[in-house]
Amino acid sequence: MAAENRDVVVIGAGHAGLAVSHELSVAGVDHVILERAAAVASAWAGRWDSFTLVLPNHTIQLPGRLYGGDDPHGFLARDDVVALLREYADSFAAPVRTGVEVTSLRPRPDTRLELRTAAGDSMVARAVVVATGAYQRLRRPAWVADVPDAVRVLEVGEYRNPGALPEGTILVVGSGQSGCQVAEDLVLAGRSVVLACGRSTWSPRRVGGQDFVDWLILVGFMDTKSDQLPDPRMRLFGGGQMTGRDGGHDLTTRTLRAAGVRLGGHLTGVEHGGARFAGDLRESVAWGDQRYAMLCGLIERRCGELGVTPPALPGPEPFVADELESLDLGEVGAIVLTTGFRPAYASWIEPADAFDEMGLPLQTDGASSVVPGLFFSGTPFLRSQSSALLRGAPDDAPVVAAGVLRHLAS
Ligand SMILES: Cc1cc2nc3c(=O)[nH]c(=O)nc-3n(C[C@H](O)[C@H](O)[C@H](O)COP(=O)(O)OP(=O)(O)OC[C@H]3O[C@@H](n4cnc5c(N)ncnc54)[C@H](O)[C@@H]3O)c2cc1C
């Protein structure tokens, strides 16, 4: 069968793909969005029932559609985020083709790009924008293979609500935003919960009468570029521990401990029917405290430079490390893995050297430095700290779309 020819293909109908599509539509560029799921915004739709945004609603900024609701400092719930993005797609008749998974993408000798789909179809395009999401492949620890069959193991994307899990203690592995929110969801429902903690940053939800995120925006932290980071590995650091649930409140290792969650350090292995922890909880919490102190220092310094009175920034409460050394998996009904994500672009996009050692694309302003005509959107630190967030779309999407237009004209 002959390959379908297109000028531009966008892969992924999350907010990043839709935002680029909006800009291409405004410029009158014919294009199609290929989306593997049955509908737009499937990544959000697949999150747990009590999920809310962590960043305030006013950070929902899509090209042509800034947040216009009556609760800019609130946090939209999962289904409202999904509805908003589906409405956005409808508002400019985004040309989405659902149920189409792209399984490979490679440059051809004639400089066009060839895509293949799971259904065996092929397409050829002059430009392709990859907007397949910031969260691609869960890091699956090796010890999962040793977990007894009686214990159900779920990836965070499979978690829905406490009632859907088997009886017994729930072991949540990973203490980033997702892990803390899932642990809170479970403990609020009266479940016995153990949280295996790694190194995570945290901050209070509000200081000086404002959301902490608003201070981070004010002082420019949310616009940090990758070359301003002390270590490139920080591009894949998760967001700080906090929640938007019930209007937003502090959610940290400390608040979870006070709510009755039992804590351990890194989970290092499973043997003889038990989980073993590294005994490093205190160091991990101290690491998070240092990161918080760094953010406080930045807020104080930049507020001084901006002539703004900085907020009073509370220091961390003392942390008593009554941590678990091990856990008998006989008491555990399920393990929820919230162990962080890694990019998976290089598993289906050629050539492999279009990506760096962390699997992120080598690019400038979203345009691949290796493959002409290949673009990315929604990638962590594509252009700044906000590139994988709703807030990054109005800055990034027009730049990526402009690059596509230049490529088509060249
Ligand atoms: C706990 C948590 C809280 C968060 N809170 C916020 C927040 O408050 N504010 C915020 O801005 N962000 C938040 N985020 C981050 C945000 O959810 C993501 O960064 C955002 O969804 C990324 O958008 P995207 O369009 O790049 O990718 P996605 O929304 O993941 O969309 C990518 C799309 O591509 C499709 N796709 C993938 N591969 C293929 C393929 N090969 N072929 C075809 N289609 C494909 C997927 O089905 C998906 O629909 C949060 C994330 C988490 C985990």
Side-chain angles (χ1 to χ4, degrees):
M1 204 169 61
E4 180 181 341
N5 267 288
R6 306 293 305 207
D7 271 347
V8 184
V9 173
V10 177
I11 309 175
H15 84 267
L18 292 173
V20 173
S21 170
H22 179 273
E23 297 303 276
L24 293 173
S25 300
V26 168
V29 177
D30 177 56
H31 65 284
V32 63
I33 309 178
L34 304 181
E35 167 55 54
R36 70 177 167 202
V40 164
S42 64
W44 296 94
R47 298 214 163 113
W48 56 92
D49 294 347
S50 67
F51 176 93
T52 68
L53 288 183
V54 177
L55 270 57
N57 293 336
H58 66 78
T59 64
I60 305 173
Q61 300 176 1
L62 298 162
R65 174 69 70 95
L66 302 185
Y67 177 76
D70 57 5
D71 191 14
H73 301 291
F75 307 90
L76 282 192
R78 175 194 65 188
D79 294 348
D80 297 329
V81 179
V82 173
L84 183 141
L85 289 176
R86 291 187 177 159
E87 240 176 67
Y88 179 57
D90 291 344
S91 72
F92 62 94
V96 186
R97 221 182 266 177
T98 53
V100 183
E101 181 177 12
V102 179
T103 49
S104 74
L105 170 59
R106 61 186 178 87
R108 297 179 2 147
D110 66 4
T111 75
R112 291 185 297 166
L113 294 147
E114 182 176 310
L115 303 89
R116 287 195 180 276
T117 72
D121 299 324
S122 68
M123 287 176 91
V124 175
R126 292 173 64 202
V128 174
V129 181
V130 178
T132 49
Y135 300 91
Q136 298 176 349
R137 184 171 33 107
L138 187 93
R139 268 166 56 191
R140 212 174 157 85
W143 51 255
V144 170
D146 302 321
V147 173
D149 291 344
V151 180
R152 189 167 154 213
V153 179
L154 297 84
E155 296 194 355
V156 61
E158 298 169 295
Y159 174 71
R160 288 290 163 274
N161 58 57
L165 294 187
E167 283 182 11
T169 293
I170 307 301
L171 170 57
V172 180
V173 183
S175 55
Q177 270 182 10
S178 298
C180 289
Q181 288 172 34
V182 169
E184 183 187 52
D185 198 33
L186 291 162
V187 82
L188 287 177
R191 301 295 303 252
S192 155
V193 185
V194 171
L195 181 66
C197 301
R199 293 176 160 196
S200 311
T201 184
W202 65 277
S203 55
R205 180 76 262 184
R206 291 184 189 86
V207 286
Q210 277 200 94
D211 200 285
F212 197 83
V213 171
D214 292 341
W215 291 104
L216 293 181
I217 292 172
L218 176 79
V219 303
F221 177 78
M222 300 301 285
D223 301 314
T224 307
K225 312 267 181 237
S226 63
D227 60 9
Q228 295 172 314
L229 293 173
D231 182 335
R233 287 176 300 183
M234 292 171 81
R235 290 177 297 171
L236 293 181
F237 274 19
Q241 295 172 335
M242 57 165 70
T243 183
R245 185 173 176 153
D246 302 328
H249 55 263
D250 293 1
L251 177 66
T252 66
T253 317
R254 290 174 171 86
T255 64
L256 285 169
R257 182 173 168 276
V261 172
R262 287 178 285 161
L263 305 176
H266 283 92
L267 203 166
T268 52
V270 169
E271 54 192 10
H272 312 305
R276 202 171 1 91
F277 300 98
D280 58 359
L281 177 62
R282 200 149 40 131
E283 290 97 286
S284 290
V285 171
W287 183 92
D289 293 349
Q290 274 172 18
R291 289 271 308 156
Y292 169 61
M294 185 277 290
L295 292 176
C296 293
L298 176 73
I299 290 173
E300 279 163 352
R301 197 173 63 250
R302 284 288 296 141
C303 279
E305 289 162 8
L306 294 167
V308 173
T309 307
L313 292 157
E317 304 269 317
F319 183 76
V320 186
D322 49 353
E323 63 189 289
L324 295 174
E325 286 173 11
S326 62
L327 178 68
D328 179 359
L329 291 180
E331 71 164 271
V332 172
I335 298 177
V336 184
L337 299 174
T338 68
T339 36
F341 289 83
R342 289 292 172 262
Y345 298 118
S347 66
W348 59 282
I349 303 177
E350 293 180 42
D353 65 8
F355 304 94
D356 67 15
E357 65 292 345
M358 292 176 69
L360 291 168
L362 297 166
Q363 53 81 33
T364 303
D365 286 341
S368 169
S369 318
V370 176
V371 182
L374 176 60
F375 295 83
F376 295 85
S377 192
T379 306
F381 279 93
L382 188 85
R383 297 182 67 245
S384 80
Q385 171 103 355
S386 289
S387 285
L389 303 172
L390 294 157
R391 175 175 189 272
D395 285 337
D396 288 11
V399 173
V400 173
V404 171
L405 286 170
R406 272 197 305 279
H407 177 75
L408 294 180
S410 68

